[in-house]
Amino acid sequence: MKKTEKICYILAILSFLLGALMRFAFTAVRFTGMLFWCAGAALVIFALLARWKEKYRWALWLRRVFLGLLAAGFAFFAVLEVRVISWARTDSDTPVTAIIVLGAGVNGTEPSLSLWTRLDAALTYAQDKPDIPIVVSGSQGQGEDISEARCMADWLMNRGVDPGRVWLEERADNTRENIRYSLALLSERGMDTTDNIAVVTSGYHLCRASMYMPGNMVPVAAHMPAGYFPLTLNYYIREAFAIAEAIVFR
């Protein structure tokens, strides 16, 4: 066995072990764990092709194709990741006519960490805009005692937000529906949905939200506390794949 093959197999074993650790022990970053499994499989394939290339002519060409596909995949991922990061900001200067807050998980009746960060960002952003409606969007999912929209509305109103400006949208099950149903609600209430509308969600999620926004979207980014950096990194990596899936299949 050549040195290159040994290195590939060692790295593959480490990738499989790290992937298993993330997938079954640190489940919050299980998506990154799955990527480590994919990396391990790619290393095994590369090692096998490195062994066969001197014996089989087709293995040499297959190795080149394999490396080309990997390079193209990394380039595509890099482009998407740059776009995700570029959207992860808050535009505090552009005037808006409405605010949409996208839902996330609810633990019983309390917001999850992701949802809490979005609500905190929404509250801060809305403080100097007392006359602008706030649409809270999200249905009731598995393990949730109330809808995400109801949880968000209660949280905001408990912190002094006028109940009259909090509009509930409780049908949306995903990002596309969050935007679609929230805009429909605004339209039903006489709002012009082509105006500047602020969308509040996690920083990594804003890029995908913008894909479903037909009007002018003003980004308002919610960020995880610094101590959750590994989880944040996992979300940013996962988001690039989610956008790729949306581009290819939707």
Side-chain angles (χ1 to χ4, degrees):
M1 184 181 293
K2 294 183 178 180
K3 184 177 180 181
T4 300
E5 292 179 56
K6 289 182 179 179
I7 293 174
C8 286
Y9 284 127
I10 291 171
L11 290 176
I13 292 170
L14 290 175
S15 296
F16 287 132
L17 290 175
L18 282 172
L21 190 64
M22 293 179 179
R23 180 65 180 82
F24 299 111
F26 302 103
T27 56
V29 293
R30 58 183 175 272
F31 181 82
T32 303
M34 293 175 64
L35 292 182
F36 270 106
W37 283 348
C38 292
L43 286 164
V44 170
I45 293 171
F46 185 80
L48 291 173
L49 292 175
R51 174 185 297 181
W52 294 339
K53 71 175 182 176
E54 297 177 358
K55 193 173 181 180
Y56 305 105
R57 185 176 179 81
W58 58 264
L60 177 62
W61 288 102
L62 187 59
R63 181 171 179 264
R64 291 173 180 173
V65 171
F66 181 66
L67 290 175
L69 290 174
L70 283 179
F74 277 117
F76 186 43
F77 171 80
V79 169
L80 293 179
E81 199 62 53
V82 167
R83 184 160 177 78
V84 169
I85 294 171
S86 70
W87 269 99
R89 69 189 193 282
T90 296
D91 180 352
S92 301
D93 300 323
T94 303
V96 299
T97 59
I99 301 169
I100 298 173
V101 188
L102 306 190
V106 173
N107 299 322
T109 60
E110 297 297 320
S112 63
L113 178 61
S114 291
L115 187 56
W116 178 85
T117 61
R118 297 180 188 188
L119 288 168
D120 188 59
L123 184 63
T124 301
Y125 180 79
Q127 281 180 340
D128 61 349
K129 304 171 182 63
D131 300 323
I132 293 178
I134 304 172
V135 178
V136 288
S137 174
S139 63
Q140 182 176 347
Q142 186 176 4
E144 299 175 343
D145 295 337
I146 57 176
S147 71
E148 294 168 8
R150 169 50 61 189
C151 176
M152 289 189 282
D154 291 344
W155 193 95
L156 290 169
M157 290 186 291
N158 287 338
R159 283 155 183 80
V161 177
D162 181 4
R165 64 185 292 217
V166 181
W167 300 352
L168 278 73
E169 185 293 295
E170 298 182 276
R171 295 187 295 160
D173 293 326
N174 52 53
T175 305
R176 181 195 292 268
E177 292 180 356
N178 283 141
I179 299 297
R180 176 185 176 186
Y181 294 151
S182 295
L183 292 178
L185 178 60
L186 288 170
S187 182
E188 289 170 4
R189 301 199 180 189
M191 304 288 294
D192 185 352
T193 57
T194 63
D195 289 341
N196 294 330
I197 296 175
V199 173
V200 184
T201 188
S202 303
Y204 61 83
H205 192 217
L206 281 163
C207 180
R208 184 149 51 104
S210 72
M211 296 170 62
Y212 304 124
M213 192 77 173
N216 299 316
M217 175 176 142
V218 176
V220 179
H223 299 291
M224 288 281 195
Y228 290 87
F229 177 76
L231 185 60
T232 301
L233 182 62
N234 175 78
Y235 285 150
Y236 271 90
I237 293 172
R238 187 183 69 178
E239 193 64 20
F241 286 87
I243 292 174
E245 187 268 342
I247 292 172
V248 173
F249 296 107
R250 302 181 189 177

